[in-house]
Amino acid sequence: MLTDFSPYMPHGMCLLWEPWLLLLWGGSDLLIFISYFLIPLALLKVLSQRPDLNHRRLVLLFVSFIALCGLTHAVSIVTLWYPIYPLQGFLKLATGLVSAVTAIVLFRLVPRLVSIPTPSKLQEANERLQQEIASHEATLAKLRLAQQNLEAEVEERTADLSRANAKLAVTTREAVHRSRNLIAVVSSIARQSARHQTDTESFIDTLVGRFNSLANATATVIEGDSNAAADLRAVVRRQLEPVELTYGDRVHVSGPPIDAGSEAAQQISLALHELATNSQKYGALSTDAGTIRISWEKAEPSDGNEDQLTIRWRENLPKTVGLSHGAVEKGGFGSRLLLHIVPTILQGRAHRSMADGTLSYELTVPLAAMAGGMNRKGDASLAARIAGRDFGVA
């Protein structure tokens, strides 16, 4: 029977019951048993705290193998006094089977276990990984900086576009305003030039001349460095270019640089055209002796007024011309243009006189009106002023 141990003798008898041998034998087995019991506990604790470990079944086989080995040593202590050799034999058989399975599995896993990197290789791989991480972080930092720069540039370009759109809207409104003004001026000039005209050719010459003065003024502003203004000297030169080419040194132009907006350039060009036309018909340029001097200067403000600009036209008339100069006549459209319409539009004043053989015409306007900075009263009122309604002319 497996549970009948009477036929056997305890292992202690083989040791002659020597106390020191019993202590040596039993103590060694006890120490081995305790160690073999604690090692599986440590392995199980590792498995419980590291669920990500590979080859968990191999570790469990080692736990079983070591635990069974520990149990065989514990039974060896018991057999010193109690001969339970059949149980010890079955326990050893179980230990042998588990050991054999563990050995077979371990040999099959040798290639995988050998391929596991050594700590030095793991350290090298970790260092390379750290370097790659640092490189990626540097790249990300550059990308973030590029993104910030791009966002800032986009924001700046968006602001520039907004400013450009706002400027374009202002320019568009300004162009509409100027075109309406120009149409009003052209219409008024056509109506006024047609008054009291009986000769078609004379009417056409007068009308075309005035239209050309407007075109020259507008072209001078557009061809300048700015789309909003031109230098006053360029406006005067452009308007008087045919006269200067024809009469040469008899025409003198002088004055400091002054910006002239499109409206100021148009009105001054109209005035210069009337003065030059009258001079060629009746005045200094109708003979071989007369001269013309055109000048302008800034006038000192008085009584708290704003800065002014004074434009002067001086004609030295031959004695044969005298007071018969047609420009001195009153009531015609040319006179109203010079003395009322042009100064009114530019919010200034004008004066014309004849003394000591010299015809003088002075136009004084605010510098703000020259640059186009005065408050507008609307296209309709401008057309009304051009038509002469402010002066009692239907």
Side-chain angles (χ1 to χ4, degrees), residues 142-152:
K142 292 180 180 179
L143 289 175
R144 293 191 190 97
L145 180 60
Q147 181 183 8
Q148 293 175 358
N149 293 336
L150 181 59
E151 291 176 352

Side-chain angles (χ1 to χ4, degrees), residues 192-200 202-203 206:
Q192 296 293 345
S193 298
R195 288 179 180 271
H196 310 298
Q197 290 286 348
T198 58
D199 185 2
T200 303
S202 176
F203 165 71
T206 302

